[in-house]
Amino acid sequence: MAPINILPFERPIYELEQQLEILENQPDPTPGTKDAIRNMRVEIARMKREIFENLDPAEVCLVSRHGNRPQTLDYLELVFDEFVELHGDKAFGDDRAIVTGFAKLDDHKVLLVGQQKGRTLKERNQCYYGCAHPEGYRKALSKMQLAAKFQVPIICLIDTPGAYPGVDAEERGISYNIALNLREMSMLNTPIVCVVIGEGGSGGALGIGIGDHIAVLQFAYYSVISPEGCAGILWKGVEHKDKAAKALRFTAPDLAQLGVIDEVISEPLGGAHRDHRAMATMLRGSLNAALKELYTIPKDELLNRRYEKFRRFGVFEEGGDPAAA
């Protein structure tokens, strides 16, 4: 039986895989059947590569939101060891949209900060679909400051459509708390690695996204606004979301070309939602390499580089005098 969460462009892949499963389950396959199985496996791999190498930005957005895509808690199980969760902001409550705690990444002791959307309806309601409240950002910052005190590196896994947009979040100072995180993270005297593992939406992502090494998974996106939100503002209709997605240039290759991120982390053939373990292995390798490099940089230089990294965003050179053209 095919999975429920099938994206439109994935359907030919699943149809072929169903045919392959029927052939593989035959009790006494003939030599011809064995040849057909081999050829079909090759064709499935070719089809995956062709489809996923040619996704447009709107399709990348769909992959980043896939219901089976690995989330922070999945990576906690597959990448990290000895996780000790830290709860609460010491002011209001414990926001389940952001998970924080100390963990081990191979030989490294790290503080993990990650946004969690949830899988079941109950989990999603508890996590507000990954949209954190002010207390979530306060929790994240207080734990990051604790890590900096003991010179423990910080890893942030970003996966949110944006901060919680409700009245209660506004009343409790969501904008202030995100802005505070931006300022304080820029001055934390310890290495910070940020990885967008799914959606990287607006200030909700930036609230834990100020770091020394910024990476984005191959089929994740990192943007000031969702394509639906952009289409609603600029073209007054969500039906223009594909046009907005292209204009925003929020895919990992675009971001790397623009100098917004430092690394594009490849995903398994067919996307991370098809193979959690393979994706976890790739993420582990990227995190280890980033931390190894950041450990070699003196702390003063580390802070200066971090500051200059974000100061460069939006810098442009003007051409000649337009009147002379």
Side-chain angles (χ1 to χ4, degrees), residues 192-226:
I192 305 175
V193 179
C194 303
V195 183
V196 181
I197 59 174
E199 293 187 270
S202 191
L206 274 179
I208 61 167
I210 306 299
D212 305 293
H213 184 87
I214 314 294
V216 176
L217 267 57
Q218 184 179 0
F219 302 121
Y221 81 87
Y222 196 19
S223 174
V224 67
I225 193 171
S226 69

Side-chain angles (χ1 to χ4, degrees), residues 24-324:
E24 290 177 331
N25 288 335
Q26 291 186 5
D28 296 310
T30 63
T33 301
K34 292 179 181 178
D35 288 339
I37 289 173
R38 282 193 292 269
N39 292 337
M40 196 168 290
R41 287 173 178 167
V42 171
E43 176 61 16
I44 289 171
R46 184 202 65 78
M47 186 179 291
K48 285 181 183 178
R49 187 172 294 106
E50 180 180 343
I51 289 173
F52 279 84
E53 285 180 355
N54 294 284
L55 295 180
D56 62 38
E59 290 170 334
V60 169
C61 189
L62 292 177
V63 177
S64 75
R65 298 168 174 172
H66 197 287
N68 294 335
R69 192 171 179 86
Q71 300 181 22
T72 291
L73 293 184
D74 298 309
Y75 289 121
L76 263 177
E77 181 179 345
L78 297 170
V79 176
F80 300 90
D81 299 308
E82 300 180 18
F83 179 66
V84 178
E85 188 170 0
L86 302 174
H87 296 274
D89 68 335
K90 298 183 179 180
F92 185 86
D94 186 40
D95 188 342
R96 299 305 300 160
I98 293 185
V99 178
T100 61
F102 289 107
K104 284 195 68 177
L105 173 67
D106 294 337
D107 296 330
H108 307 294
K109 294 179 181 178
V110 301
L111 175 81
L112 178 74
V113 178
Q115 289 161 326
Q116 176 70 14
K117 291 180 174 179
R119 294 231 183 266
T120 66
L121 181 60
K122 180 179 178 181
E123 289 174 350
R124 289 172 179 173
N125 285 332
Q126 290 174 340
C127 298
Y128 301 99
Y129 290 76
C131 299
H133 285 69
E135 51 270 23
Y137 292 102
R138 281 197 299 268
K139 174 171 74 168
L141 180 59
S142 67
K143 304 325 181 241
M144 287 190 280
Q145 289 171 332
L146 178 64
K149 178 179 179 180
F150 295 101
Q151 294 294 286
V152 174
I154 299 165
I155 293 174
C156 298
L157 301 183
I158 297 167
D159 187 14
T160 180
Y164 190 79
V167 173
D168 52 346
E170 293 291 345
E171 289 175 341
R172 297 201 295 272
I174 187 70
S175 300
Y176 168 80
N177 280 279
I178 290 175
L180 182 64
N181 279 27
L182 302 186
R183 186 189 73 186
E184 295 300 315
M185 285 185 74
S186 70
M187 298 186 291
L188 291 176
N189 195 26
T190 192
I192 305 175
V193 179
C194 303
V195 183
V196 181
I197 59 174
E199 293 187 270
S202 191
L206 274 179
I208 61 167
I210 306 299
D212 305 293
H213 184 87
I214 314 294
V216 176
L217 267 57
Q218 184 179 0
F219 302 121
Y221 81 87
Y222 196 19
S223 174
V224 67
I225 193 171
S226 69
E228 293 85 357
C230 178
I233 293 171
L234 295 184
W235 291 284
K236 310 304 179 185
V238 73
E239 65 272 13
H240 298 286
K241 63 181 184 298
D242 291 3
K243 188 194 306 182
K246 185 175 181 180
L248 285 166
R249 296 190 67 184
F250 58 31
T251 64
D254 281 336
L255 295 168
Q257 184 180 12
L258 292 168
V260 175
I261 64 173
D262 302 296
E263 181 186 7
V264 178
I265 303 176
S266 297
E267 297 192 19
L269 196 59
H273 60 281
R274 298 292 302 263
D275 194 337
H276 288 200
R277 291 190 178 277
M279 186 66 252
T281 299
M282 295 173 181
L283 178 61
R284 182 196 292 266
S286 170
L287 293 175
N288 274 314
L291 288 176
K292 183 177 180 181
E293 179 183 352
L294 293 175
Y295 278 141
T296 65
I297 303 173
K299 290 297 187 293
D300 289 344
E301 185 180 347
L302 189 74
L303 292 176
N304 288 334
R305 285 190 185 187
R306 189 185 304 161
Y307 177 80
E308 291 299 330
K309 173 195 289 289
F310 288 91
R311 288 291 294 175
R312 285 194 298 268
F313 290 175
V315 173
F316 61 93
E317 293 184 4
E318 294 186 355
D321 184 359

